[in-house]
Amino acid sequence: MIPAPFEYSSPKTLSDAFTLLETSGPDSKILAGGQSLIPVMKLRLGQPSRLIDINNIQELSYLREADGYLRIGALTRMVDLESSDLIKKKYPIISDTASHIADPTVRNMGTAGGNVSHADPANDLPGTMVALGAEFVAASSKGTRVIKAKDFFVDTFTTDLKHEEILTEIRVPMYAPGTGGAYLKLEKRVGDFAIAGVGVQISLDNDGTCTRAGIGLTAVGPSVIEAVEAEKALVGKKLTEEATRAAASLASDASTPTSDLRGPADYKKEMIKVLTSRALKRAHQRAVGGSA
Amino acid sequence: MEEVLRGLASKMHVEITVNEQKKEADVEPRLLLVHFLRENLSLTGTHIGCDTSNCGACTVLVNGKAVKSCTMFTVQASGKEVMTVEGLAKGGKLHPIQEGFWEKHGLQCGYCTPGMMMAGVALLQKNSNPTEEEIRRGISGNLCRCTGYVKIVEAIQYAAEKLREAQQQKVEVPAR
């Protein structure tokens, strides 16, 4: 399959990329890892007139903690999220997620920024970022702005990013000890999109009472879903079997899946309940065990 | 027509080191790396299987990392080093991974084999002594419809052992 023709540029700096974006048409696209965009172009579901390849912009590739946030440069590859010791130790929900995205060869190319910007409701990273209460840094020649996860994911394949903007960083708050997270994905086979997925991040105080809960749902709606009622139900409570079950049930209520090749809608709703319950238990273990 | 003109007007010059040889060409930005390798360079060892980034038959190494060459544009590889299955054997001697597939019958129809071997090489570069599970995870981006994978895993284990032995000898030589 051969994509439609396009113009190609590979700027080495962000400011050159901004200039290119501003001077090219509204159907120009940013090329990061290309593991979603290139298939879209090969199937001619998309025919951008110009690709602005940001792979040579070194300043977008980093992974570090600074000023209260884990900062993930937009060009950070999935393989790096999966294998980083910092991530495995302090943000295991992210390594859980990365290790379930497509397959290892695709993860060598696929980027964190591309995964969230593509805003496929079946992509795994958005659910995790919603659970983590992440923020997204959008930059243009006019400056930068920070977008909250709940405002970033607008609709299917649609984010709050403007045409002139480039997502440069994903920021995850550094939570205090007593925080734990997990991502669970149900998939038919390795490399497939999720039938359903759930990301959970909880913080507990000294006596085990939940002070914050974040729950993001994958592939069960037109966009990633934040299970707000389930989150609210957990705060102020200990994570007992009863509280976990009630939250899982509320998360399932928040999902709006459709029936497709991966299963009927009611099955997916049931799976959200099961996955939420299991993810909460794993997150709880990790919170108590000390690793976030 | 406008589309055609736009495509023709925007050919770009690329310089890519393929199997340690520098190659130059003027290509359309939309030319996928796998087509460049197969059609421009006649390196047909790299196969096109599903053409949808699922099967891994087109796996090559770009700067040492396994990538699916049906999901990368040639222009993206400019200035980089690409290694295909044709670059494995040196001076008429098979690479240990090729030897492994030969000795352990790691193939039946052979269609997935070049991609499988490149994924295996990439895996062994990162992990010289992988467990069976690590091998199975490492090649999970590559589909084989004949073997059931058992013999492929054995072939990679064979290669891992050969490569470790070679490494061992290298270390031992200067000590004498």
Side-chain angles (χ1 to χ4, degrees):
Chain A
M1 293 179 291
I2 297 169
F6 56 88
E7 302 282 341
Y8 171 88
S9 325
S10 54
K12 290 204 166 55
T13 64
L14 260 181
S15 61
D16 285 352
F18 295 147
T19 309
L20 281 161
L21 263 178
E22 282 164 16
T23 53
S24 51
D27 60 346
S28 54
K29 288 291 277 181
I30 300 287
L31 174 65
Q35 302 302 287
S36 298
L37 178 59
I38 295 175
V40 159
M41 292 171 66
K42 286 170 72 177
L43 294 165
R44 303 229 179 179
L45 295 169
Q47 302 192 12
S49 61
R50 174 186 286 277
L51 287 189
I52 300 162
D53 180 353
I54 58 170
N55 283 283
N56 295 318
I57 305 179
Q58 300 294 335
E59 60 192 293
L60 289 177
S61 194
Y62 56 88
L63 189 59
R64 58 170 174 258
E65 287 182 326
D67 308 319
Y69 290 97
L70 167 71
R71 292 162 188 268
I72 305 171
L75 261 188
T76 305
R77 308 285 162 180
M78 288 306 165
V79 63
D80 298 320
L81 288 183
E82 184 187 4
S83 57
S84 148
D85 288 331
L86 170 70
I87 298 283
K88 278 196 274 198
K89 187 162 170 276
K90 293 187 69 182
Y91 307 89
I93 180 177
I94 298 178
S95 45
D96 284 356
T97 313
S99 66
H100 281 106
I101 293 171
D103 61 57
T105 315
V106 169
R107 293 199 289 273
N108 279 339
M109 288 295 283
T111 66
N115 191 287
V116 294
S117 301
H118 185 53
D120 186 328
N123 272 3
D124 299 287
L125 209 50
T128 289
M129 290 304 157
V130 163
L132 285 166
E135 297 171 353
F136 301 86
V137 181
S140 71
S141 62
K142 294 176 192 74
T144 60
R145 69 187 175 110
V146 178
I147 309 164
K148 301 248 184 236
K150 67 177 165 61
D151 301 319
F152 184 78
F153 299 104
V154 174
D155 205 341
T156 311
F157 300 119
T158 308
T159 67
D160 189 47
L161 289 169
K162 308 275 179 291
H163 178 256
E164 306 75 31
E165 288 177 328
I166 297 175
L167 176 71
T168 56
E169 181 178 279
I170 304 170
R171 282 181 191 172
V172 175
M174 286 167 62
Y175 292 104
T179 298
Y183 184 79
L184 293 181
K185 174 180 182 175
L186 182 67
E187 56 186 339
K188 281 185 139 177
R189 67 188 91 82
V190 169
D192 198 8
F193 287 110
I195 299 167
V198 178
V200 162
Q201 178 92 344
I202 53 164
S203 298
L204 308 174
D205 66 12
N206 287 337
D207 72 348
T209 304
C210 178
T211 56
R212 181 193 171 275
I215 303 176
L217 310 180
T218 300
V220 286
S223 181
V224 58
I225 290 172
E226 182 173 8
V228 181
E229 294 304 318
E231 294 171 353
K232 277 191 205 159
L234 287 167
V235 174
K237 290 210 184 78
K238 290 201 164 68
L239 262 83
T240 58
E241 183 70 35
E242 192 192 351
T244 302
R245 256 189 226 181
S249 195
L250 286 168
S252 175
D253 292 346
S255 68
T256 57
T258 49
S259 298
D260 60 17
L261 286 172
R262 290 186 178 82
D266 53 356
Y267 165 70
K268 294 182 188 178
K269 275 187 102 75
E270 190 60 27
M271 288 306 104
I272 288 291
K273 199 186 287 179
V274 174
L275 293 172
T276 305
S277 176
R278 289 181 189 169
L280 279 168
K281 281 174 191 163
R282 187 171 295 178
H284 185 247
Q285 278 167 4
R286 284 172 169 170
V288 175
S291 69
Chain B
M1 187 61 192
E2 197 188 332
E3 259 199 357
V4 173
L5 286 174
R6 199 168 69 188
L8 290 174
S10 61
K11 276 205 174 181
M12 297 185 75
H13 190 71
V14 292
E15 289 183 21
I16 307 175
T17 305
V18 181
N19 300 332
E20 296 174 1
Q21 285 186 315
K22 200 166 177 182
K23 304 285 180 186
E24 292 185 49
D26 294 312
V27 301
E28 277 190 72
R30 64 172 168 168
L31 183 71
L32 294 160
L33 181 58
V34 69
H35 291 139
F36 175 72
L37 294 171
R38 290 178 56 85
E39 288 154 31
N40 294 46
L41 305 183
S42 300
L43 294 173
T44 51
T46 303
H47 291 167
I48 300 174
C50 68
D51 206 7
T52 54
S53 3
N54 283 293
C55 78
C58 64
T59 304
V60 300
L61 305 189
V62 177
N63 283 359
K65 276 190 176 182
V67 303
K68 295 187 178 182
S69 61
C70 80
T71 312
M72 182 175 191
F73 294 116
T74 310
V75 286
Q76 289 180 274
S78 194
K80 296 197 163 76
E81 288 185 14
V82 174
M83 188 176 176
T84 69
V85 67
E86 289 91 343
L88 287 176
K90 292 271 155 55
K93 193 177 179 321
L94 293 183
H95 185 282
I97 195 99
Q98 293 171 306
E99 220 182 286
F101 274 75
W102 179 306
E103 292 295 333
K104 296 290 174 184
H105 291 279
L107 61 143
Q108 287 177 25
C109 87
Y111 203 88
C112 73
T113 312
M116 206 58 95
M117 291 198 293
M118 298 318 285
V121 168
L123 169 70
L124 295 178
Q125 279 172 359
K126 284 211 288 193
N127 181 353
S128 63
N129 193 9
T131 62
E132 182 188 336
E133 191 187 336
E134 285 167 340
I135 292 174
R136 287 181 178 272
R137 278 184 195 280
I139 59 168
S140 61
N142 296 69
L143 299 181
C144 171
R145 302 289 81 168
C146 308
T147 64
Y149 302 99
V150 172
K151 294 289 169 186
I152 292 174
V153 173
E154 286 177 14
I156 295 172
Q157 283 169 329
Y158 177 99
E161 202 172 310
K162 286 276 156 179
L163 286 164
R164 284 200 307 276
E165 278 171 21
Q167 198 63 36
Q168 202 73 31
Q169 278 163 8
K170 256 191 224 167
V171 176
E172 279 167 12
V173 170
R176 276 173 201 164

